[in-house]
Amino acid sequence: MKSIVQERYGPSPENVLRLAEIDKPTIGRDEVLVRVHAASVDRGTWHIMSGLPYPVRAAGFGLRRPKYPNPGRSFAGTVEAVGGDVTGFKPGDEVFGICDASFAQYARVRTDMLAPKPADLSFGQAAAVPVSGLTAIQAVRDQGQVRAGQRVLIVGASGGVGTFAVQIAKAYGAEVTAVCSTSKVEAVRALGADHVIDYTRADFADGHHRYDVILDIGGNRRLSQLRRALTPTGRLVIVGGETDGRWLGGTDRQLRALALSPFIGQKLGTFISSENAEDLEALRELIESGKVSPAIDRTYPLDEVAAAIRYMVEGRTCGKLVITI
């Protein structure tokens, strides 16, 4: 089969990724072989590819060199074969989920990372959902504990996670204020945000408005500034915001938030998303009900994965980048 191949870590996708012919994966008794029709790129793709910051390597992706053939994770496709112990899926089923190497024509998938594809989505649209959608729903529902009538601020609303978070927070009945750059204002407003702040022209942390929940997905604001925009008992969830540091990569801000939280009225925190079939099902229900729809920026063929990652790293993306296979 055709697959993106990576033998070493590196920050430049053009230098470490190439298209090659490799053997199809062999599945275990509790696994499914999926013919991949589409995959997608997210910020985690770059981290897995580059091995940065270094704790990524210790998280199971390989200490000295990449453990998996390529850094793709999200996918959508058709079940080709199932292991002997698999009962919930059969050949021909249209599915979406998460695996260890999705930039390929076939992928080996655990059943606890797999769900039926949303009925009204194309394979490309469905492939945009898993990693970013799971992060968004867990940030809104579990960490932010968003409820109807609350005022929610989403910083980094135009990114892969942000575009889902805006819609999910609205589905939960919140009044959503989204923060993004000038060129992305109209696209974010189209997602259903009640208010959109262009961060190049206005400061959301000016002290004039306070929010019950803040999701900081793409920002690098100091904790003091974020707290200024939070109600006295509000919740701050730091989902992203990165630096070029090789050891912490910006996570020092998350660590400071966790250390400070027990001593103040505000709840400050972060989390690592849980990849599971139950939340893929929850996302499927939101999508099929018409409350959530993946926002696709552009698509690339398999042999242009490096170009897609480069486009994302440069910060030009509004929504998701899809790889068609």
Side-chain angles (χ1 to χ4, degrees):
M1 69 172 185
K2 292 182 179 179
S3 174
I4 292 297
V5 172
Q6 176 183 5
E7 287 100 5
R8 60 187 177 86
Y9 288 123
S12 299
E14 304 85 358
N15 295 335
V16 297
L17 301 180
R18 63 182 177 86
L19 186 65
E21 289 279 347
I22 65 172
D23 293 335
K24 285 184 185 179
T26 301
I27 60 173
R29 296 189 63 82
D30 60 347
E31 294 177 324
V32 170
L33 180 67
V34 172
R35 181 181 178 185
V36 180
H37 297 301
S40 66
V41 171
D42 56 75
R43 188 69 190 181
T45 307
W46 182 86
H47 289 299
I48 296 170
M49 179 197 76
S50 65
L52 296 172
Y54 292 133
V56 168
R57 307 185 186 198
F61 294 100
L63 290 176
R64 301 187 65 183
R65 58 181 59 88
K67 180 178 178 180
Y68 302 106
N70 67 62
R73 299 281 286 162
S74 294
F75 73 90
T78 305
V79 174
E80 185 87 357
V82 300
D85 294 337
V86 174
T87 58
F89 299 95
K90 65 183 185 302
D93 286 348
E94 296 183 348
V95 293
F96 76 135
I98 299 172
C99 66
D100 292 320
S102 66
F103 298 148
Q105 290 179 310
Y106 293 88
R108 182 180 62 193
V109 189
R110 289 169 22 201
T111 55
D112 61 352
M113 308 272 261
L114 192 65
K117 180 178 75 68
D120 296 333
L121 295 190
S122 67
F123 285 108
Q125 290 172 314
V129 176
V131 168
S132 295
L134 286 178
T135 303
I137 195 171
Q138 291 166 17
V140 172
R141 180 195 64 196
D142 304 332
Q143 306 300 317
Q145 300 181 15
V146 171
R147 302 185 305 275
Q150 286 189 317
R151 291 165 295 174
V152 176
L153 179 75
I154 298 177
V155 184
S158 64
V161 176
T163 52
F164 283 111
V166 168
Q167 297 176 80
I168 293 169
K170 284 296 298 177
Y172 277 60
E175 178 184 337
V176 176
T177 298
V179 181
C180 62
S181 62
T182 307
S183 63
K184 302 170 183 177
V185 166
E186 292 307 316
V188 170
R189 186 174 283 117
L191 296 172
D194 298 286
H195 317 282
V196 182
I197 296 175
D198 176 354
Y199 68 76
T200 69
R201 300 181 179 181
D203 182 7
F204 67 82
D206 59 8
H208 294 309
H209 300 280
R210 298 242 176 171
Y211 302 90
D212 302 296
V213 179
I214 297 177
L215 304 183
D216 186 11
I217 300 169
N220 282 297
R221 290 298 190 99
R222 294 193 300 271
L223 284 180
S224 59
Q225 293 175 317
L226 292 169
R227 290 187 59 203
R228 191 182 308 143
L230 201 60
T231 62
T233 57
R235 289 180 174 271
L236 167 65
V237 183
I238 302 177
V239 185
E242 303 175 3
T243 67
D244 294 328
R246 290 179 172 269
W247 286 100
L248 294 178
T251 57
D252 53 308
R253 194 170 57 123
Q254 283 93 319
L255 296 174
R256 291 197 304 272
L258 291 170
L260 179 61
S261 187
F263 304 101
I264 59 176
Q266 298 166 328
K267 302 297 182 184
L268 316 179
T270 186
F271 74 108
I272 297 173
S273 64
S274 169
E275 298 171 345
N276 63 85
E278 291 77 15
D279 282 345
L280 287 172
E281 290 279 5
L283 287 166
R284 183 168 70 91
E285 291 175 6
L286 285 169
I287 291 167
E288 292 183 343
S289 70
K291 295 177 180 178
V292 172
S293 179
I296 309 299
D297 184 315
R298 57 179 62 189
T299 62
Y300 295 79
L302 182 59
D303 60 356
E304 294 184 14
V305 167
I309 297 173
R310 171 59 60 195
Y311 183 80
M312 179 202 65
V313 169
E314 291 174 352
R316 293 183 285 169
T317 309
C318 185
K320 293 291 296 182
L321 302 177
V322 171
I323 307 299
T324 55
I325 302 171

